[in-house]
């Protein structure tokens, strides 16, 4: 038997090719890369999976989800959230992944988003909270409005993607205090998208720079193991494939 | 399950097997394809909707290098398999993911490709993982020749003769695919975007269509090469022999984690199959047509078992069990089964469960479902999943409720010791080279600290231990704040509460684990036959053997 009939002796992954306007990733690729990168950055698997999902969600909303996730992962170490009714006070800049997950988990509890508003102190890259607040809205069955800096976004109750008038301004603030409320129906700032889910792929933002890809990939590669010869051989058939 | 409220047969619930029986690897590793399998679903749809097929491009040289396009034209949309043939030196031929060149490479294009599209694909598809496709493509795959058989068939046809039927039956295919990538991989279309189309809603329909058209390509290619060599004297492959050829598939560990990572999908597949069996059993009587159809299916299963070969010791024993079990069943059905008695299908199933080995039980399940299309085919609409919706954790659940769920649905996990060498003998990881999932030996290999979270049983036990002494009224949201390491399994425990078949109820890092059991279960849902392990973690199978070709579909009765 030939253990390695065709070993490319290649380690790691190759970047997707640049098509002239940056690299173009599909949503599942952003999600998979994001998950591995978050795990590589030290988050638990259960958190990392949701970090990857959130990056894909942001891309679906027309935002550079992979780049935002990288910003979040680079900003470590950050303070964990301290949920309390009405006001989540911070001991330092808060991690938007842990805070987002806590907001989602606490939906319907006294500390969480619900009928009374929640003020979350200084969160790094508050845009990253959006996917989790969207889930909280779906869990509550009520739209939730997020406001930070000069941004106001409504996350619909049916899990639909929000309509973002100006994605760049949503993306911009590096750190802000965020208020989450159930909006007055008469004052909803953004029209609620009509479809329950945007399945057309329109508005998807999959372009990332080579530098972003490389940094996320470097983190992702921290989750991989250099193979032993034994495991490499055992992963395949015990005979030649030339039969 | 989401489809349960619409069941036309609510009484079937009482006949359903439970997850403690169904979700064991010893049984999942005996799974057989059924009429609910994904390739069967696809063929039924193509026939029902009157899809048409053509081959607008065929441009191959005398060595089999070139390109072809096979179109499937449906009522609303057209899909095209774009195939590239290559001249591959033998020493480059590997079925592993580490390969960099193949005999043929493919993509399923959404629509009819232009010359510009074909040129773009020609620059990328042959490179597979190192190339890049676009949202216009739904799959990316490659195949290698079954070298000896391919050569034999070309030589015989070139001489105006038919190939040896025995040789064809022994291998069963001219080429085998070594990877079929779908949803979003390497730039392909996101499944979420195409899943709204009725023909793409069921799982793996793009992949199945791609492989089915690949089968037509493999026959066209041998006939082309025979013509090149034999000229006017060359024969075409006899239709009966051609029918017996499928497409092979060679696969390894990469497929195993899928079943663990997609708990809701796994549940929906299992639930559909189990509900189908329950509906058959719940019938008060057995119609003559159904009995006849069952006997035909049983005879077909026996024929298949006779032709199914494997050199692997585990599979050899299973095949022995299967052949003997099916013989005993056929004899029982002929002589003793009271098909006119009360609930005859249930009576038959009870006999099967009592007297047959698991391998034969699961084959009988497939045969019993087979003649009941009217009763069970609607279940295929329940086999996809909105996995994103199931990902949210209900943070308001109390710790006491979580403990109860663990006791009810993870008793198999809590009873296992993980601090022994056997209990945690293995670890799953991703290899640095080519990013391939692998299984390591904890005692002797490095890298366990980078373990993939497939050790579900151990995680459930750890969560249970961490809950010890925690206030039962505490919402799990608060528990997770302090214990983010348990988030992964806590989500699964909540999923299992709603989806009873979501979890494989065995230790996936234990010394006794046979990864091929996981592969067999998944491949059976695809519709794979002739499961032939080449090691405990590598397997060859066949797809579409005995199925119609595109040119046959319109003139044959539905199955």
């Amino acid at each position: 038997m030939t253990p390695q009939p065709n070993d490319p002796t290649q380690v790691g992954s190759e970047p997707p090719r640049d098509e002239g306007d940056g690299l173009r990733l599909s949503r599942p690729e952003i999600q998979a890369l994001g998950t591995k990168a978050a795990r590589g950055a030290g988050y638990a698997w259960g958190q990392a999976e949701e970090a990857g999902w959130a990056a894909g969600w942001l891309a679906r909303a027309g935002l550079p989800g992979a780049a935002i996730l990288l910003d979040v992962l680079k900003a470590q170490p950050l303070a964990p959230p301290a949920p309390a009714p009405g006001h989540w006070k911070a001991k330092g800049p808060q991690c938007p992944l842990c805070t987002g997950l806590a907001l989602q988990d606490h939906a319907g509890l006294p500390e969480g988003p619900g009928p009374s508003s929640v003020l979350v102190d200084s969160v790094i890259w508050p845009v990253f909270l959006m996917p989790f607040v969207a889930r909280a809205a779906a869990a509550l069955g009520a739209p939730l409005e997020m406001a930070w800096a000069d941004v106001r976004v409504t996350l619909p109750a049916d899990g639909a993607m929000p309509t973002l008038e100006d994605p760049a301004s949503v993306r911009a603030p590096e750190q802000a205090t965020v208020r989450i409320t159930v909006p007055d129906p008469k004052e909803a700032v953004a029209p609620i998208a009509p479809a329950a889910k945007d399945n057309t792929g329109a508005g998807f933002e999959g372009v990332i720079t080579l530098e972003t890809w490389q940094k996320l990939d470097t983190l992702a590669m921290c989750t991989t193991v250099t193979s032993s010869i034994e495991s490499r051989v055992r992963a395949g058939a015990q005979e030649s494939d030339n039969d | 399950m989401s489809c349960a409220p619409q069941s036309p047969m609510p009484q079937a619930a009482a006949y359903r097997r439970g997850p403690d029986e169904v979700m064991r690897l010893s049984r999942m590793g005996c799974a057989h394809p059924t009429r609910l399998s994904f390739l069967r679903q696809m063929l039924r749809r193509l026939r029902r909707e009157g899809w048409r097929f053509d081959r607008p491009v065929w441009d191959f040289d005398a060595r089999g290098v070139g390109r072809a396009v096979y179109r499937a034209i449906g009522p609303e949309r057209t899909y095209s398999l774009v195939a590239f043939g290559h001249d591959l030196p033998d020493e480059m031929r590997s079925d592993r993911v580490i390969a960099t060149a193949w005999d043929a490479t493919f993509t399923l294009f959404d629509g009819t490709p232009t010359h510009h599209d074909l040129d773009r694909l020609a620059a990328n598809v042959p490179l597979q993982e190192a190339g890049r496709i676009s949202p216009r493509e739904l799959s990316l795959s490659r195949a290698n020749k079954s070298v000896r058989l391919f050569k034999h068939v070309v030589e015989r046809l070139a001489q105006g003769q038919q190939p040896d039927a025995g040789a064809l039956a022994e291998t069963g295919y001219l080429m085998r695919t070594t990877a079929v990538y779908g949803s979003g991989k390497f730039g392909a279309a996101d499944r979420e975007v195409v899943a709204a189309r009725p023909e793409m809603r069921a799982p793996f329909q793009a992949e199945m269509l791609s492989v089915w058209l690949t089968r037509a390509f493999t026959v066209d290619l041998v006939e082309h090469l025979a013509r090149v060599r034999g000229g006017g004297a060359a024969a075409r492959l006899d239709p009966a022999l051609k029918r017996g050829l499928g497409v092979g598939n060679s696969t390894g560990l990469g497929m195993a984690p899928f079943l663990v990572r997609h708990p809701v999908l796994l549940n929906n597949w299992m639930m559909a199959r189990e509900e189908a069996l329950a509906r058959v059993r719940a019938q008060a009587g057995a119609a003559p047509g159904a009995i006849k159809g069952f006997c035909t299916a049983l005879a077909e299963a026996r024929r298949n078992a006779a032709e199914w070969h494997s050199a692997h010791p585990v599979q050899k024993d299973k095949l022995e069990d299967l052949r003997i079990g099916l013989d005993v069943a056929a004899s029982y059905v002929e002589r003793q089964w009271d098909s006119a008695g009360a609930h005859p299908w249930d009576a038959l199933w009870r006999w099967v469960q009592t007297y047959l080995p698991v391998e034969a039980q699961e084959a009988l399940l497939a045969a019993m479902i087979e003649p009941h299309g009217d009763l069970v085919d609607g279940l295929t609409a329940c086999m996809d999943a909105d996995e994103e919706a199931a990902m949210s954790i209900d943070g308001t659940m109390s710790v006491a409720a979580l403990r109860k769920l663990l006791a009810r649905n993870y008793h198999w996990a809590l009873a296992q010791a993980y601090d022994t060498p056997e209990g945690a003998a293995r670890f799953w990881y991703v290899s640095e080279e080519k990013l391939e999932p692998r299984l390591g030996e904890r005692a002797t290999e490095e890298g366990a600290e980078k373990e993939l979270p497939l050790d579900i049983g151990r995680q459930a036990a750890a969560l249970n231990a961490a809950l010890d002494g925690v206030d039962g009224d505490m919402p799990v949201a608060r528990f997770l704040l302090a214990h983010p390491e348990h988030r992964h399994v806590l989500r699964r425990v909540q999923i299992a509460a709603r989806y009873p078949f979501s979890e494989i109820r065995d230790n996936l890092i234990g010394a006794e684990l046979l990864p091929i059991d996981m592969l067999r279960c998944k491949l059976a849902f695809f519709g794979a036959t002739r499961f032939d392990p080449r090691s405990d973690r590598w397997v060859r199978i066949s797809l579409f053997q005995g199925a119609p070709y595109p040119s046959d579909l319109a003139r044959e009765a539905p199955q």
Side-chain angles (χ1 to χ4, degrees):
Chain A
M1 111 178 218
T2 320
Q4 285 298 288
N6 177 29
D7 184 355
T9 59
Q10 174 192 307
V11 167
S13 42
E14 281 181 48
R17 236 173 295 152
D18 193 328
E19 308 283 344
D21 56 351
L23 316 174
R24 208 170 271 281
L25 299 188
S26 69
R27 188 195 55 81
E29 285 177 308
I30 291 173
Q31 181 166 340
L33 179 63
T35 299
K36 285 184 269 185
R39 174 63 181 164
Y43 284 98
W45 273 114
Q47 298 172 302
E49 283 176 345
E50 303 205 49
W53 164 79
W57 187 98
L58 290 167
R60 199 162 46 186
L63 292 159
I68 295 170
L69 175 62
L70 179 62
D71 285 341
V72 171
L73 298 180
K74 280 194 307 194
Q76 310 296 325
L78 293 166
H87 192 179
W88 295 22
K89 292 178 187 158
K91 297 190 180 92
Q94 296 199 64
C95 165
L97 173 57
C98 298
T99 305
L101 289 171
L103 282 166
Q104 169 194 314
D105 292 347
H106 284 79
L109 291 171
E111 309 93 314
S116 0
S117 70
V118 179
L119 190 67
V120 184
D121 279 354
S122 59
V123 181
I124 292 289
W125 300 111
V127 60
F128 200 72
L129 293 180
M130 273 173 52
F132 304 104
V133 175
R135 274 213 185 130
L140 293 168
L144 288 172
E145 186 188 295
M146 292 176 67
W148 70 93
D150 55 354
V151 178
R152 285 173 81 190
V153 180
T154 301
L155 287 316
D158 58 3
M161 299 306 291
T163 306
L164 303 177
E165 299 294 335
D166 180 9
S169 71
V170 174
R171 157 85 166 105
E174 195 168 334
Q175 185 172 339
T177 292
V178 182
R179 180 176 293 280
I180 300 162
T181 49
V182 175
D184 183 335
K186 291 177 217 141
E187 290 180 15
V189 286
I192 290 168
K197 261 193 172 179
D198 177 12
N199 275 334
T200 62
F204 171 74
E205 177 54 276
V207 174
I208 70 170
T209 65
L210 178 63
E211 189 191 357
T212 300
W213 185 88
Q214 281 169 334
K215 286 184 172 161
L216 286 169
D217 190 59
T218 300
L219 286 169
M221 290 307 289
C222 296
T223 65
T224 65
V225 175
T226 310
S227 303
S228 65
I229 291 168
E230 181 202 8
S231 92
R232 185 189 296 165
V233 172
R234 287 194 69 194
Q238 303 298 300
E239 309 91 13
S240 155
D241 295 323
N242 271 312
D243 60 345
Chain B
M1 173 180 173
S2 55
C3 292
Q6 298 142 31
S7 171
M9 219 180 175
Q11 68 272 31
Y15 293 85
R16 217 184 273 154
R17 298 191 291 183
D20 279 332
E21 181 179 358
V22 172
M23 300 309 293
R24 300 301 305 273
L25 280 176
S26 55
R27 188 173 288 275
M28 294 170 78
C30 292
H32 289 260
T34 70
R35 64 177 299 125
L36 303 180
S37 298
F38 307 138
L39 67 82
R40 297 279 303 276
Q41 290 190 42
M42 183 199 73
L43 290 174
R44 280 200 296 274
R45 172 182 294 278
L46 297 182
R47 193 185 325 250
R48 189 173 66 236
E49 296 180 349
W51 285 58
R52 294 180 297 111
F53 307 92
D54 64 9
R55 196 187 73 182
V57 176
W58 180 269
D59 181 13
F60 276 88
D61 70 12
R63 295 170 305 148
V65 177
R67 60 172 73 165
V69 175
Y70 290 76
R71 283 195 305 182
I73 303 157
E76 283 187 62
R77 279 171 287 270
T78 292
Y79 299 92
S80 301
L81 179 77
V82 181
F84 297 98
H86 312 291
D87 188 15
L88 183 70
D90 278 353
E91 67 273 15
M92 296 275 284
R93 189 171 293 106
S94 165
D95 289 359
R96 297 279 302 280
V97 73
I98 52 175
T100 53
W102 302 267
D103 285 313
T105 52
F106 310 90
T107 186
L108 189 72
F109 184 84
D110 191 4
T112 299
T114 62
H115 285 292
H116 176 73
D117 291 320
L118 288 180
D119 289 343
R120 171 176 62 84
L121 295 170
N124 286 282
V125 172
L127 304 176
Q128 295 283 293
E129 293 95 335
R132 199 70 191 150
I133 51 175
S134 80
R136 293 300 307 275
E137 286 83 50
L138 304 182
S139 75
L140 181 69
S141 58
R142 65 289 193 99
N144 282 334
K145 288 172 187 167
S146 178
V147 181
R148 279 197 304 267
L149 187 67
F150 197 94
K151 208 178 273 179
H152 168 75
V153 174
V154 171
E155 280 168 8
R156 284 288 181 91
L157 292 181
Q159 292 159 6
Q161 295 168 357
Q162 289 301 318
D164 176 52
L168 285 189
E170 193 189 327
T171 302
Y173 49 79
L174 294 166
M175 282 191 175
R176 59 179 173 268
T177 54
T178 66
V180 182
Y181 296 111
S183 187
K185 298 270 172 59
F186 310 107
D190 180 356
R191 172 168 163 80
E192 202 170 73
V193 175
V194 294
R197 304 175 185 179
E199 69 274 18
M200 289 292 151
R201 197 184 139 192
F204 295 102
Q205 294 298 283
E207 291 88 341
M208 293 294 116
L209 180 59
S210 159
V211 173
W212 185 56
L213 295 172
T214 296
R215 176 179 177 235
F217 164 77
T218 66
V219 174
D220 288 356
L221 187 62
V222 283
E223 291 186 338
H224 165 82
L225 293 172
R227 261 196 313 277
V228 167
R229 204 180 286 190
R236 297 196 61 186
L237 191 57
D238 174 79
L241 293 177
K242 179 175 157 183
R243 184 79 173 222
L245 290 174
V247 173
N249 177 267
S250 201
T251 195
L253 285 180
M255 190 174 260
F258 183 94
L259 288 182
V260 186
R261 287 189 178 138
H262 298 273
V264 182
L265 202 56
L266 176 62
N267 172 82
N268 293 358
W269 299 359
M270 289 295 196
M271 181 69 106
R273 193 191 69 187
E274 293 306 311
E275 172 68 10
L277 174 64
R279 286 185 186 179
V280 172
R281 288 172 60 192
Q283 296 175 101
I291 296 172
K292 191 168 169 235
F294 165 65
C295 291
T296 305
L298 185 55
E300 174 58 28
R302 291 175 76 190
R303 195 183 63 76
N304 178 59
E307 291 176 3
W308 180 355
H309 299 289
S310 177
H312 194 270
V314 171
Q315 191 61 25
K316 270 167 92 169
D317 290 349
K318 284 187 173 188
L319 284 172
E320 191 63 17
D321 278 355
L322 178 64
R323 291 184 192 119
I324 294 171
L326 289 176
D327 288 349
V328 173
S331 160
Y332 175 81
V333 165
E334 195 185 337
R335 299 199 184 105
Q336 286 169 276
W337 179 39
D338 181 10
S339 60
H343 284 90
W345 296 108
D346 184 52
L348 175 60
W349 181 254
R350 285 170 191 275
W351 177 86
V352 165
Q353 268 189 313
T354 309
Y355 295 106
L356 297 190
V358 174
E359 178 72 41
Q361 288 179 23
E362 297 301 306
L364 261 290
L365 175 155
M368 282 172 60
I369 292 174
E370 188 60 34
H372 291 102
D374 289 348
L375 197 60
V376 307
D377 283 353
L379 291 165
T380 57
C382 310
M383 294 174 86
D384 62 333
D386 183 354
E387 297 183 289
E388 207 173 306
M391 213 172 154
S392 282
I393 284 176
D394 173 8
T396 65
M397 176 183 277
S398 71
V399 163
L402 182 67
R403 276 200 201 104
K404 269 190 201 160
L405 289 178
L406 277 161
R408 193 175 79 201
N409 297 327
Y410 289 81
H411 47 85
W412 55 273
L414 306 185
Q416 172 81 43
Y418 300 97
D419 53 1
T420 63
E422 299 78 27
R426 268 81 172 276
F427 66 100
W428 294 85
Y429 67 92
V430 172
S431 69
E432 194 180 43
E433 55 174 12
K434 281 282 189 166
L435 308 178
E436 186 184 27
R438 296 213 182 132
L439 192 57
E441 299 295 326
R442 198 178 302 274
T444 56
E445 288 180 48
E446 300 288 320
E449 73 284 0
K450 294 178 177 180
E451 184 165 6
L452 289 173
L454 302 183
D455 54 332
I456 306 302
R458 188 173 63 169
Q459 288 181 49
L463 170 62
N464 200 52
L467 291 173
D468 203 27
V470 176
D471 177 7
D473 292 332
M474 180 191 277
V476 298
R478 272 177 225 158
F479 173 78
L480 282 175
L481 270 184
H483 296 283
E485 71 277 15
H486 294 300
R487 184 173 194 87
H488 179 259
V489 74
L490 194 149
R491 183 196 299 125
R492 297 184 72 99
V493 176
Q494 291 195 342
I495 287 174
R498 285 170 289 154
Y499 301 94
F501 297 95
S502 59
E503 210 71 275
I504 298 172
R505 298 193 171 198
D506 268 306
N507 180 10
L508 301 180
I509 53 168
E512 302 297 313
L513 172 76
L514 280 179
I516 47 175
D517 287 337
M518 299 162 82
L519 303 183
R520 171 133 175 216
C521 176
K522 187 179 177 204
L523 289 163
F525 275 103
F526 283 9
T529 55
R530 307 293 162 85
F531 187 82
D532 180 16
R534 316 299 277 194
S535 78
D536 67 341
R537 54 193 74 179
W538 186 258
V539 63
R540 286 185 186 175
I541 50 110
S542 188
L543 293 162
F544 294 107
Q545 246 183 315
Y549 282 80
S551 54
D552 304 326
L553 206 63
R555 44 174 206 269
E556 290 183 12
Q559 286 180 347

